[in-house]
Amino acid sequence: MSDSPGSPDAAARARDEAESASAFAHPPVAPDATAAYGDHPDQVVDFYAPRDGRTAAPLVVLLHGGAWRAPYDRAHVSPLADFLARRGFAVANVEYRRGGDDIPQQRGGSGPASAGAGPVAGRWPETFDDVAAALDAMPVLAAGALPGADVRRIVVTGHSAGGHLALWAAARHVLPEGSPWRLPAPPPLRGVVALAPIADFAAAVGLGVCGGAVTQLLGGEAGFADRAAHTDPGVLLPTGIATAIVQGVEDIVVPQAVSEAYVDAAAKAGETVGLTLLGGVGHFPLIDPAADACAVVAEEITQLAW
């Protein structure tokens, strides 16, 4: 049965389209500095200085979303980076390698699961290589690019697929033994604020989030279970790092159930994760400086950073 214009599904899609249009209507904001953490063109970080000129400002590391797919890069969250800089934060907007039509076969996998159906989600294992490398290099990069940043007070945030990467970055010390990304001790973070994150792979796969993006991120179905053990925040618990999730109740891109699955898994592991549910809000207002939801995001970050 097709949806009529007045049906709930049609209304939800219309809301999502309007919210997306608003979030993407902002022109990109140029950074104050850019630094490389590797040789690939995507291995770069854009830095935004706190607009009030303060020194010793907490550093927000921002990981953009876009289903880990190449058409979506860090430029679309540069207005959010600027918004946070205007709130007194130093901001590091991280780029990383994503999937695209130019990937004939992902390393260690059987090729893109979406062959012929648009850009594949993620590069296995390069997407994770990059996020780990960027976070490991961040104190040195930030000290050089933004001398006013306080690298002792780092909060990682990310939206959607970037929310997944933010949660994963905070869980590297609980990765399985032998993982190339495992840290010997918890990363030095004040906390994580994940925005509508793809936080639990089982829930996301069950709901078909982003057209099968989770399966594509891990290089296809072959070896999915083994790779998920190293990359699924829903099983990398507890982390011991303060974590908050901000989620729109009306989100049809990454539904509320995905965040709730992560929060439930954390509770079973003996950890409390904050969950802020925003009524009347979908997926994109969380990164839209023109939306009230963006102010909520800034407040959640503030509570962890200061």
Side-chain angles (χ1 to χ4, degrees), residues 182-205:
R182 181 181 168 91
L183 293 176
L189 304 175
R190 280 291 181 93
V192 179
V193 178
L195 316 177
I198 303 178
D200 183 281
F201 281 1
V205 170

Side-chain angles (χ1 to χ4, degrees), residues 61-141:
V61 176
L62 174 59
L63 294 159
H64 71 82
W68 310 284
R69 291 182 170 124
Y72 305 96
D73 63 17
R74 68 193 185 282
H76 82 270
V77 293
S78 63
L80 173 60
D82 180 67
F83 176 86
L84 293 173
R86 293 180 185 280
R87 293 294 186 104
F89 294 105
V91 183
N93 188 10
V94 178
E95 193 56 273
Y96 53 89
R97 282 175 285 183
R98 302 155 330 276
D101 293 324
D102 62 329
I103 308 174
Q105 180 160 329
Q106 297 192 19
R107 195 166 90 219
S110 58
S114 62
V120 69
R123 291 177 184 257
W124 176 267
E126 288 87 352
T127 297
F128 297 96
D129 290 343
D130 287 359
V131 172
L135 268 293
D136 289 346
M138 192 58 64
V140 172
L141 293 181

Side-chain angles (χ1 to χ4, degrees), residues 1-302:
M1 179 183 297
S2 62
D3 297 316
S4 64
S7 71
D9 287 342
R13 287 198 298 270
R15 178 199 295 272
D16 180 68
E17 290 172 3
E19 291 176 340
S20 174
S22 177
F24 283 84
H26 304 281
V29 179
D32 297 302
T34 298
Y37 62 88
D39 296 330
H40 192 277
D42 285 337
Q43 293 175 318
V44 294
V45 181
D46 287 341
F47 289 96
Y48 296 78
R51 302 311 187 207
D52 58 7
R54 75 174 66 192
T55 58
L59 177 64
V60 178
V61 176
L62 174 59
L63 294 159
H64 71 82
W68 310 284
R69 291 182 170 124
Y72 305 96
D73 63 17
R74 68 193 185 282
H76 82 270
V77 293
S78 63
L80 173 60
D82 180 67
F83 176 86
L84 293 173
R86 293 180 185 280
R87 293 294 186 104
F89 294 105
V91 183
N93 188 10
V94 178
E95 193 56 273
Y96 53 89
R97 282 175 285 183
R98 302 155 330 276
D101 293 324
D102 62 329
I103 308 174
Q105 180 160 329
Q106 297 192 19
R107 195 166 90 219
S110 58
S114 62
V120 69
R123 291 177 184 257
W124 176 267
E126 288 87 352
T127 297
F128 297 96
D129 290 343
D130 287 359
V131 172
L135 268 293
D136 289 346
M138 192 58 64
V140 172
L141 293 181
L146 293 180
D150 185 353
V151 297
R152 298 167 301 176
R153 292 188 291 167
I154 297 177
V155 175
V156 180
T157 190
H159 178 242
S160 195
H164 156 263
L165 294 172
L167 293 170
W168 178 80
R172 289 171 57 205
H173 58 297
V174 297
L175 294 180
E177 293 285 350
S179 171
W181 309 298
R182 181 181 168 91
L183 293 176
L189 304 175
R190 280 291 181 93
V192 179
V193 178
L195 316 177
I198 303 178
D200 183 281
F201 281 1
V205 170
L207 292 168
V209 166
C210 297
V214 172
T215 302
Q216 295 168 23
L217 172 68
L218 302 191
E221 294 183 359
F224 179 91
D226 289 341
R227 291 174 180 176
H230 296 257
T231 56
D232 178 2
V235 301
L236 299 173
L237 291 161
T239 68
I241 292 175
T243 301
I245 292 177
V246 183
Q247 174 76 45
V249 172
E250 306 299 333
D251 194 332
I252 63 172
V253 179
V254 183
Q256 177 181 333
V258 179
S259 288
E260 289 179 334
Y262 177 82
V263 171
D264 290 346
K268 291 177 182 177
E271 191 160 74
T272 299
V273 171
L275 176 59
T276 299
L277 298 175
L278 302 181
V281 171
H283 193 63
F284 294 100
L286 304 179
I287 60 169
D288 183 356
D292 292 342
C294 209
V296 175
V297 169
E299 180 58 30
E300 291 285 346
I301 295 171
T302 297

